[in-house]
Amino acid sequence: MADDEIILSELPDDELVLQMHDDLYDGLKEEIEDAVNILIARGWAPYDVLTKALVAGMTIVGADFRDGILFVPEVLLAANAMKAGMSILKPLLVETGAPRMGKMVIGTVKGDIHDIGKNLVAMMMEGAGFEVLDLGINNSVDKYLDALEREQPDILGMSALLTTTMPYMKVVIDTMKEKGLREDYIVLVGGAPLNEEFGRAIGADAYCRDAAVAVETAKQFVARKHNQLAG
Amino acid sequence: MSDIGEVCEPARARRSGGRASRVAERSAPLAENLRPVRPGLPGGQYRPLTEAGMARIHASALDALEQIGLSQAPPSGVELLTGAGAILGDDGRIRFPRALVEDMLAVAARDITLHGRDPKHDLHLTGTNVHFGTAGAAVHIVDLERNEYRESTAQDLYDAARITHHLDNVHFFQRAMVCRDVTDNYDMDVNTLYACLAGTTKHVGTSFSDPSHVEGCFELLHMVAGGELAWRARPFVSNSNCFVVPPMKFAEESCITMEKCIRKGMPMLLLSAGQAGATAPAPIALAIVQAVAECLAGVVYVNAIRPGAPAIFGTWPFVSDLRTGAMSGGSAEQALLTAGCAQMHHFYNLPGGAASGISDSKLPDMQAGWEQGITNVLAGLSGLNMCYEAVGMHASLLGFCLESLVLGDDILGQVLRCVRGIDVTEDSTSIEAMKQVCLGGPGHYLGSDQTLALMQTEYIYPVVGNRMSPKEWAEAGKPLLLDRAIARKNSILAKAGSQIDPDIDAAIRAAYNIHFK
């Protein structure tokens, strides 16, 4: 295809960013790495590269996944390309003190070993520029609380597939309340048997129906939190 | 291990055009090379008859032809058949010595191609290759939007043909409805033929209500083909011909039509449509015997007219519901009859067809779903070359439903996927992908190269069928299957135009009384 003739370094900034959106969409890891390096070399702020090129590109990917145009494996390919770009930006973002997209600790609750949905959320969140620590499956209250203390994330994500394990989410949230930690974190919950009502009843900030919704919800809550801090 | 890993590292992926090209790709039909199913997939995995069982059915069919024979051949048929070696008895029945049947089986056409007007729709009837299509003829159309049966029209038939043209899993279009708004029988035959041809370039099947109509209809066919020679080179219409009226009687006028059509180069569907328990014997095996015997008589007849003339061995036994005597097409017994017939086609190595996919239900509901699903999947798995009545047919052939035609395309996609079976290759059984995932990998296969490569070629996705979670479904306004089918039908009809060149269409409409727009 003629597209292969594109030489990224010869594109003006605006065209390069649009090309990055397409390359993310196509899951082209090396092209994304090249383009990130080119923008940095042109003097772009790392935060601008993150938001205008990578996050904006993944937003398109997320929208087309939601609309049934992209398949899951294609979204994961795009998320991998995004992660490759992120790993170049990460040290630079720390150096420049740029605001972070946000950080999430995520895990499936105790007694539950189902993790494919949780994995999808973790990957989509990473794809959207969040830093994600995945605790895996079968997590006790202590494991969640240890991770919160150690990682200081913005978001705690909990998942359950079984009706028998989903009440454990309330146990975690109640313990957070007892320890006065609940208000320090955004708590998002998900899993097939849950619904919005359940999320509200156990004191979560939101129930997220699927990975795409989780990303959008996380972005909104983090932005709100930033605004509150700014205000 | 790392060495192998590096050697196998995929080449740098090529740009594929980003969002614009993917959106275009996903909104268009899947590229032919990616489709998980295609017309003519080989079946044959399901074999309800043993080799010994088939031999017994064959022997009984020969006995029936020799001892019982068939009555009511037209004078031309008597002349042809006795000329070939059949014996006309004092009782008026024509009996077939087994040597005659065997001789005619030896010269009968095999591995035939039923042409589409577009060669990409050609059907190669060989071995256990499976094709699905419509047949008829229903006298009503099921109007889902009004929830009623009304008399079917030429326009309805044209609409069904246009929809079929756009459904990947419906491979041919045999006239599915009677044009009841056309009261003159000659005009009806003309409209039936032309509605099918105008709607689709897939292979068409039609019938003629009187032998005297054949001539005029062939003139129309030659106009569409671009002359008689072009027609004879690629005959794209077959004659669905009920040449027998079971049990063991020829249908005189149909036989005369058959003689005319064969001489004009039209492939013949030799159709024997008995009803087990009524016009065919009650044992499933003996119903197959009778259908086989009748169609063997047809093979003798066809090859006496022209040796090697293309014909489809159309054993179509149906079922009688013995509580009422009514015809039934959607039962397990129907599935067995059809699969057994397919095996007999393979026994003779003849191109064959039978009925599958008929629903007795009046509407496209769950009853229709199981009836169509079970009968079609077993027909496909039996390796039936031509599965007639496979979509859209309700009320035991009395009603055709356009929405059901659309839904049937989804059923047939799943059916064809079953027919395709499991690809067992070095790649598909290599544990390399498992190693990459399990040993230090992500622990799942969603993002693996193999999944990406196979997500469309290994799996077929329903177009109308709904796989949403209950939550998504609720958010989407709880869409009903039939509403989605109505929407797809309307969207196809909005874009599906006539498949006839405008000049030819104008000439045909000037010469014939065409009732649809």
Side-chain angles (χ1 to χ4, degrees):
Chain A
M1 205 173 284
D3 280 355
D4 272 352
E5 305 304 321
I6 293 167
I7 298 171
L8 293 173
S9 61
E10 290 178 359
L11 296 177
D13 285 7
D14 52 347
E15 284 180 32
L16 178 57
V17 166
L18 290 176
Q19 187 60 46
M20 287 174 77
H21 293 173
D22 268 352
D23 287 351
L24 265 179
Y25 201 94
D26 288 340
L28 301 176
K29 185 170 162 245
E30 291 164 57
E31 281 75 1
I32 288 299
E33 288 169 337
D34 290 350
V36 166
N37 285 324
I38 290 167
L39 286 178
I40 296 293
R42 287 183 191 176
W44 274 51
Y47 185 71
D48 285 345
V49 180
L50 173 66
T51 52
K52 291 178 185 161
L54 300 185
V55 172
M58 284 306 290
T59 304
I60 298 169
V61 169
D64 282 3
F65 176 54
R66 180 198 61 210
D67 294 344
I69 295 161
L70 288 177
F71 288 49
V72 174
E74 294 171 319
V75 175
L76 296 191
L77 202 63
N80 272 341
M82 161 86 185
K83 266 171 78 176
M86 263 305 280
S87 65
I88 298 171
L89 292 177
K90 213 165 168 181
L92 304 175
L93 288 165
V94 174
E95 235 171 66
T96 54
R100 297 175 311 139
M101 284 297 296
K103 184 172 182 179
M104 179 185 218
V105 162
I106 189 168
T108 305
V109 296
K110 191 174 168 183
D112 206 324
I113 56 163
H114 299 89
D115 67 348
I116 202 69
K118 181 265 297 169
N119 290 343
L120 273 176
V121 172
M123 278 178 289
M124 293 281 287
M125 291 290 291
E126 282 187 327
F130 286 85
E131 191 181 340
V132 177
L133 182 83
D134 188 345
L135 299 178
I137 55 171
N138 197 23
N139 286 288
S140 64
V141 174
D142 289 345
K143 275 170 82 178
Y144 281 117
L145 294 185
D146 287 351
L148 293 181
E149 193 181 336
R150 191 174 64 245
E151 302 291 335
Q152 294 297 309
D154 304 282
I155 305 165
L156 170 64
M158 289 188 286
S159 143
L161 189 79
L162 305 176
T163 52
T164 50
T165 57
M166 60 190 234
Y168 196 77
M169 294 177 171
K170 185 168 187 310
V171 177
V172 177
I173 292 173
D174 286 348
T175 312
M176 288 170 75
K177 283 181 185 163
E178 278 167 30
K179 295 190 182 281
L181 298 171
R182 172 64 187 87
E183 298 311 314
D184 297 345
Y185 304 99
I186 299 158
V187 178
L188 304 181
V189 295
L194 281 65
N195 55 29
E196 276 163 30
E197 198 182 354
F198 177 81
R200 265 197 306 275
I202 63 168
D205 287 298
Y207 153 76
C208 305
R209 195 191 72 204
D210 58 31
V213 171
V215 169
E216 286 313 306
T217 311
K219 280 185 187 169
Q220 285 166 17
F221 273 94
V222 170
R224 211 180 293 165
K225 191 173 164 187
H226 286 170
N227 289 342
Q228 281 167 0
L229 290 177
Chain B
M1 181 196 140
S2 61
D3 285 353
I4 294 168
E6 277 160 30
V7 172
C8 295
E9 195 70 26
R12 192 166 165 139
R14 292 165 62 89
R15 287 203 166 88
S16 56
R19 183 189 209 183
S21 74
R22 196 84 52 92
V23 170
E25 184 189 315
R26 293 280 146 82
S27 54
L30 194 58
E32 306 249 350
N33 61 328
L34 289 181
R35 293 185 190 176
V37 298
R38 60 177 171 78
L41 285 166
Q45 302 93 328
Y46 175 53
R47 299 170 59 81
L49 295 173
T50 61
E51 293 294 326
M54 287 189 282
R56 286 181 82 147
I57 286 172
H58 168 59
S60 291
L62 291 183
D63 285 347
L65 286 170
E66 214 163 32
Q67 297 169 28
I68 303 168
L70 280 79
S71 63
Q72 273 147 337
S76 57
V78 172
E79 195 183 327
L80 280 161
L81 291 166
T82 54
I87 298 154
L88 178 63
D90 295 338
D91 57 359
R93 301 187 77 89
I94 294 188
R95 294 183 173 81
F96 299 76
R98 61 184 58 209
L100 169 63
V101 177
E102 281 159 5
D103 286 351
M104 288 307 200
L105 276 171
V107 298
R110 295 188 157 76
D111 304 321
I112 65 172
T113 295
L114 294 181
H115 297 278
R117 238 170 343 120
D118 181 337
K120 80 174 179 190
H121 296 307
D122 284 359
L123 311 174
H124 304 290
L125 274 54
T126 187
T128 58
N129 290 2
V130 177
H131 307 89
F132 289 97
T134 60
V139 291
H140 297 103
I141 186 146
V142 186
D143 186 334
L144 262 199
E145 295 181 55
R146 294 183 185 178
N147 201 29
E148 65 182 22
Y149 275 54
R150 62 166 172 78
E151 294 186 357
S152 48
T153 65
Q155 185 69 41
D156 292 328
L157 185 61
Y158 175 55
D159 289 349
R162 288 192 294 146
I163 292 170
T164 297
H165 188 69
H166 290 271
L167 299 178
D168 285 347
N169 303 320
V170 185
H171 306 138
F172 59 89
F173 186 74
Q174 185 151 303
R175 55 95 185 86
M177 283 169 274
V178 176
C179 307
R180 294 180 70 185
D181 56 330
V182 188
T183 46
D184 177 84
N185 282 345
Y186 172 68
D187 282 350
M188 184 190 74
D189 284 351
V190 164
N191 275 273
T192 301
L193 175 62
Y194 193 52
C196 297
L197 292 172
T200 182
T201 59
K202 295 182 180 178
H203 185 78
V204 158
T206 195
S207 60
F208 304 101
S209 56
D210 190 279
S212 65
H213 301 167
V214 171
E215 200 64 44
C217 287
F218 267 78
E219 281 165 19
L220 188 155
L221 267 181
H222 296 162
M223 288 171 83
V224 172
E228 184 176 352
L229 282 180
W231 153 258
R232 284 185 178 270
R234 292 182 52 83
F236 45 80
V237 178
S238 50
N239 176 214
S240 171
N241 191 302
C242 290
F243 75 107
V244 286
V245 183
M248 304 297 274
K249 290 192 297 287
F250 284 112
E252 290 191 52
E253 293 199 335
S254 295
C255 288
I256 296 166
T257 297
M258 172 168 79
E259 292 171 21
K260 288 189 170 195
C261 287
I262 285 177
R263 293 189 174 109
K264 289 175 178 294
M266 185 176 272
M268 193 55 45
L269 165 57
L270 290 168
L271 218 165
S272 144
Q275 243 180 264
T279 55
I284 289 171
L286 196 57
I288 296 174
V289 166
Q290 182 181 299
V292 166
E294 288 166 345
C295 283
L296 285 173
V299 168
V300 173
Y301 202 151
V302 165
N303 288 282
I305 299 167
R306 206 186 89 205
I312 301 153
F313 203 73
T315 46
W316 282 31
F318 297 118
V319 168
S320 302
D321 185 316
L322 292 171
R323 297 172 301 181
T324 60
M327 186 223 143
S328 161
S331 60
E333 296 84 3
Q334 180 67 62
L336 288 165
L337 281 165
T338 295
C341 286
Q343 278 187 272
M344 293 311 296
H345 308 159
H346 305 147
F347 180 87
Y348 297 116
N349 187 24
L350 289 173
S356 68
I358 301 164
S359 174
D360 299 321
S361 178
K362 265 44 71 185
L363 295 170
D365 53 12
M366 185 164 168
Q367 180 187 337
W370 86 61
E371 290 171 334
Q372 296 182 332
I374 290 173
T375 55
N376 275 324
V377 81
L378 289 182
L381 290 177
S382 72
L384 180 63
N385 293 149
M386 296 289 280
C387 305
Y388 294 96
E389 316 278 15
V391 271
M393 206 49 117
H394 288 270
S396 319
L397 302 184
L398 289 174
F400 191 84
C401 175
L402 299 179
E403 290 81 4
S404 183
L405 173 60
V406 165
L407 289 164
D409 186 55
D410 264 2
I411 295 181
L412 292 178
Q414 302 301 319
V415 164
L416 283 161
R417 185 65 189 87
C418 291
V419 171
R420 182 180 132 191
I422 302 171
D423 299 329
V424 180
T425 63
E426 200 175 328
D427 276 353
S428 73
T429 51
S430 160
I431 65 164
E432 203 47 49
M434 294 171 66
K435 282 184 185 166
Q436 284 170 15
V437 161
C438 302
L439 305 178
H444 63 80
Y445 298 90
L446 279 169
S448 82
D449 290 344
Q450 201 173 43
T451 310
L452 188 69
L454 295 177
M455 65 187 194
Q456 292 180 103
T457 56
E458 184 83 351
Y459 295 88
I460 185 161
Y461 303 96
V463 178
V464 179
N466 187 321
R467 291 181 173 175
M468 290 172 177
S469 72
K471 289 166 202 142
E472 289 171 278
W473 172 74
E475 283 174 18
K478 302 183 183 177
L480 295 173
L481 185 67
L482 295 186
D483 289 337
R484 289 167 62 112
I486 290 169
R488 186 172 189 217
K489 174 199 77 172
N490 288 335
S491 112
I492 292 174
L493 287 176
K495 70 178 177 192
S498 169
Q499 299 295 326
I500 303 288
D501 175 271
D503 291 342
I504 296 172
D505 181 65
I508 287 171
R509 287 175 188 274
Y512 296 91
N513 186 14
I514 302 300
H515 284 246
F516 62 92
K517 288 182 185 130

